[in-house]
Amino acid sequence: MRYDPQCYLCPGNTRAGGHTNPHYENVFIFDNDYAALLPESPAPPADASPLLRAERERGRCRVVCFHPDHSLTLPRMKLDDIRRVVDTWSEQYEELSRNPEIRYIQIFENRGAMMGASNPHPHCQIWATEHVPDEPAEETEALKAYQAEHHSCLLCDYVKVESEAKERIVCENEDFLVVVPWWAVWPFETLVLSRRHLGSLRDFSDREKTSLADILKQTTTRYDNLFETSFPYTMGFHQSPVDGEEHPEWHFHAHFYPPLLRSATVRKFMVGFEMLGMPQRDITPESAAERLRSVPAKHFTLK
């Protein structure tokens, strides 16, 4: 169904917040009607206990509709349409980074009801935050520590390791490599790595933007083909903070965290020992990569 009259993201429809969408023809961006972050937020009251600490977090939350066609997902979109989305991500990164109160820009997509997506219309979110969130902050420290010790980039060196080993590679093109990482926790988790040392989307060449569109289409198509379903996942880009400091240690990459394990309906749960102790692998990264690598590159719906 190309258009759903009940969908609050389809062109011309009224959103839950009362705003009416334009009759857009490609990418459409708007500030989230129920944003988790706002440009102005009051400072929390001071707490007497040293055990309890709260800080103000200002920011912006935006929604990016990939395409007016309600029925599409990234793997079923044309490459030119995905490239428009990549251009939008780059433009949003540039625009939001100019705000002196913003220090990090997180672009992410939750796909499928299993991953909490409230609407199947193809879209993602952008959260621009006053502080660097925990995961990219930890990555920043790890990248800095590796650079100080080895005088090289951790992820540049990891690209070399995986390119030589080949057994964990899922797919690749001239500018990007997709692997099931050595440290993967989710069964079919993947990591998208730029071959060139790029700190953020603002460093991409024109060709690399098209290559990113291509590698996202390749990766998501293989996910769908694995169990011949619209494969759920959370995907997000990690890139250089915009905190006013130089970050030569940063290397652009994307994480895909899909929950499925054995079929379109059997998912992985982090429970028991995994929740209380540490995660356990259900399949090795090598076998996961082989399964994703071996499925057809053409989307199963086009058979």
Side-chain angles (χ1 to χ4, degrees):
M1 178 168 56
R2 292 177 59 86
Y3 169 76
D4 181 354
Q6 303 302 316
C7 170
Y8 58 82
L9 297 181
C10 275
N13 288 358
T14 300
R15 302 199 300 272
H19 301 284
T20 300
N21 299 327
H23 291 278
Y24 62 95
E25 297 181 355
N26 40 67
V27 182
F28 170 51
I29 311 158
F30 62 92
D31 286 333
N32 197 315
D33 297 319
Y34 299 100
L37 299 164
L38 297 171
E40 297 300 328
S41 179
D47 198 288
S49 173
L51 299 175
L52 306 176
R53 179 181 173 186
E55 292 184 33
R56 176 173 61 183
E57 189 65 40
R58 294 170 294 184
R60 302 294 292 268
C61 292
R62 291 178 175 167
V63 177
V64 179
C65 295
F66 296 159
H67 198 281
D69 189 331
H70 182 82
S71 67
L72 292 181
T73 53
L74 276 178
R76 298 181 60 228
M77 287 170 60
K78 294 179 180 178
L79 186 61
D80 287 347
D81 290 330
I82 302 176
R83 169 61 197 263
R84 289 192 188 95
V85 176
V86 173
D87 287 340
T88 300
W89 288 333
S90 181
E91 291 161 5
Q92 288 292 300
Y93 182 89
E94 284 285 358
E95 177 190 329
L96 292 165
S97 69
R98 290 194 288 269
N99 185 331
E101 294 175 349
I102 297 302
R103 291 174 175 80
Y104 196 78
I105 299 161
Q106 181 62 67
I107 301 169
F108 65 96
E109 178 194 8
N110 293 325
R111 178 177 165 194
M114 194 177 286
M115 297 307 289
S118 59
N119 192 312
H121 195 103
H123 72 285
C124 75
Q125 298 186 56
I126 301 176
W127 288 23
T129 59
E130 187 174 2
H131 297 86
V132 181
D134 291 349
E135 292 295 324
E138 290 178 5
E139 287 189 358
T140 299
E141 293 308 310
L143 290 165
K144 282 182 176 179
Y146 186 91
Q147 187 183 65
E149 182 178 354
H150 299 278
H151 306 290
S152 60
C153 167
L154 186 156
L155 289 179
C156 284
D157 289 354
Y158 185 58
V159 166
K160 294 175 185 176
V161 169
E162 292 291 12
S163 296
E164 292 171 1
K166 299 187 183 305
E167 57 187 347
R168 286 175 294 275
I169 295 175
V170 174
C171 55
E172 56 189 314
N173 62 20
E174 194 170 6
D175 299 298
F176 291 90
L177 183 72
V178 180
V179 302
V180 178
W182 175 265
W183 57 85
V185 171
W186 297 95
F188 295 101
E189 176 181 336
T190 56
L191 182 68
V192 181
L193 295 155
S194 62
R195 294 188 188 275
R196 193 162 70 92
H197 185 70
L198 305 168
S200 69
L201 284 162
R202 64 158 55 109
D203 301 322
F204 279 39
S205 67
D206 184 73
R207 189 190 76 184
E208 285 164 335
K209 290 178 181 179
T210 300
S211 288
L212 178 61
D214 171 68
I215 208 68
L216 292 175
K217 184 175 177 65
Q218 283 195 52
T219 305
T220 53
T221 297
R222 290 180 183 279
Y223 274 142
D224 279 12
N225 287 348
L226 184 62
F227 298 132
E228 296 197 346
T229 191
S230 185
F231 209 89
Y233 58 72
T234 284
M235 180 276 287
F237 302 122
H238 278 173
Q239 51 191 327
S240 176
V242 293
D243 54 4
E245 299 181 15
E246 295 295 322
H247 287 282
E249 76 280 0
W250 256 93
H251 188 119
F252 178 93
H253 59 283
H255 296 279
F256 275 89
Y257 297 127
L260 296 183
L261 175 58
R262 296 187 183 91
S263 72
T265 57
V266 177
R267 64 175 295 174
K268 164 79 173 180
F269 288 96
M270 293 288 184
V271 295
F273 183 84
E274 291 175 311
M275 185 177 288
L276 298 167
M278 61 185 296
Q280 301 297 296
R281 289 286 312 185
D282 295 276
I283 56 177
T284 66
E286 293 79 14
S287 60
E290 170 58 29
R291 290 183 63 182
L292 287 169
R293 189 168 54 242
S294 64
V295 297
K298 186 177 181 180
H299 200 271
F300 74 91
T301 59
L302 300 176
K303 286 182 180 179

